[in-house]
Amino acid sequence: GQQLNQSPQSMFIQEGEDVSMNCTSSSIFNTWLWYKQDPGEGPVLLIALYKAGELTSNGRLTAQFGITRKDSFLNISASIPSDVGIYFCAGQPMRFGAGTRLTVKP
Amino acid sequence: GAGVSQTPSNKVTEKGKYVELRCDPISGHTALYWYRQSLGQGPEFLIYFQGTGAADDSGLPNDRFFAVRPEGSVSTLKIQRTERGDSAVYLCASSTGNSPLHFGNGTRLTVT
């Protein structure tokens, strides 16, 4: 089946630092989605990307849909403690990456 | 309600028993998805409904798993003869079709 490779698996950063994580696939996707999941809750959508090459921002978050349609990245600028959680990419509604666990030290 | 509701939030059952997990999607959402999430992993697709019919059930791991959505709103995921390996968080999500998914908080199933 379609595999999404998400990296890094985990990140430990200092408050105020910028963060970058990415997702790659062997298959082409028409939609890339980025979700954040807090403990005990379901994933919450952060950013949706629908066009190859598209760059979209949502506050301190910026995500890009790779031109080949096989990859995407998510950047978080000026991290704050509430950014802690697990970030998932999804190449389409039915396939998720394994997640990037983010820890922010105050 | 305002969001996707899943009940129960926690379920502990003995190996071999039958369980039902319920999902109430956002009102008006025609698409409904079930996922399974094991510790440290991303959600794993199980089944997708468009209205009352299962449009894609390719993620169901075996015939012990079954899901229904008889009236196109509430859905029930049914697991027969549960095994310890079925222990996971079962997530439900709904959408209006091509729009992004809205997830519930999941049902944590523990098979002892």
Side-chain angles (χ1 to χ4, degrees):
Chain A
Q2 295 162 323
Q3 295 279 348
L4 294 184
N5 298 307
Q6 194 170 344
S7 65
Q9 288 186 337
S10 60
M11 301 184 74
F12 296 82
I13 62 169
Q14 205 73 36
E15 182 178 359
E17 290 183 355
D18 297 343
V19 172
S20 184
M21 59 191 79
N22 69 81
C23 205
T24 61
S25 170
S26 56
S27 303
I28 289 173
F29 289 107
N30 292 320
T31 302
W32 281 94
L33 306 165
W34 285 92
Y35 289 86
K36 178 175 183 270
Q37 186 174 30
D38 292 326
E41 299 183 9
V44 175
L45 181 70
L46 298 174
I47 290 182
L49 302 159
Y50 299 103
K51 288 171 54 177
E54 178 182 358
L55 182 72
T56 297
S57 293
N58 178 8
R60 294 180 296 108
L61 307 179
T62 301
Q64 183 154 30
F65 192 151
I67 198 71
T68 65
R69 294 196 283 156
K70 291 184 177 181
D71 64 300
S72 177
F73 72 74
L74 175 70
N75 287 343
I76 306 173
S77 62
S79 58
I80 59 178
S82 63
D83 290 336
V84 165
I86 303 177
Y87 292 79
F88 292 102
C89 62
Q92 61 185 53
M94 302 167 196
R95 299 290 182 266
F96 279 74
T100 294
R101 182 179 296 274
L102 179 64
T103 302
V104 179
K105 292 178 280 189
Chain B
V4 177
S5 175
Q6 290 188 247
T7 54
S9 55
N10 283 282
K11 176 71 177 178
V12 180
T13 190
E14 292 180 348
K15 177 175 178 294
K17 298 289 189 183
Y18 167 83
V19 295
E20 290 189 352
L21 312 179
R22 177 186 168 108
C23 174
D24 281 86
I26 293 173
S27 177
H29 279 194
T30 55
L32 185 146
Y33 298 78
W34 283 99
Y35 290 82
R36 177 169 68 177
Q37 187 174 26
S38 300
L39 194 63
Q41 299 295 316
E44 174 194 4
F45 169 75
L46 296 177
I47 186 170
Y48 154 54
F49 287 89
Q50 185 61 248
T52 60
D56 184 347
D57 64 358
S58 63
L60 294 177
N62 51 60
D63 61 5
R64 295 187 298 105
F65 289 74
F66 189 70
V68 296
R69 194 186 186 199
E71 297 178 359
S73 56
V74 171
S75 176
T76 305
L77 178 66
K78 309 181 181 195
I79 310 174
Q80 298 177 320
R81 304 183 304 279
T82 52
E83 300 177 357
R84 292 195 179 88
D86 297 336
S87 297
V89 175
Y90 288 81
L91 292 166
C92 176
S94 70
S95 77
T96 56
N98 290 326
S99 65
L101 303 180
H102 297 262
F103 281 85
N105 287 335
T107 293
R108 181 176 298 278
L109 176 66
T110 303
V111 182
T112 62

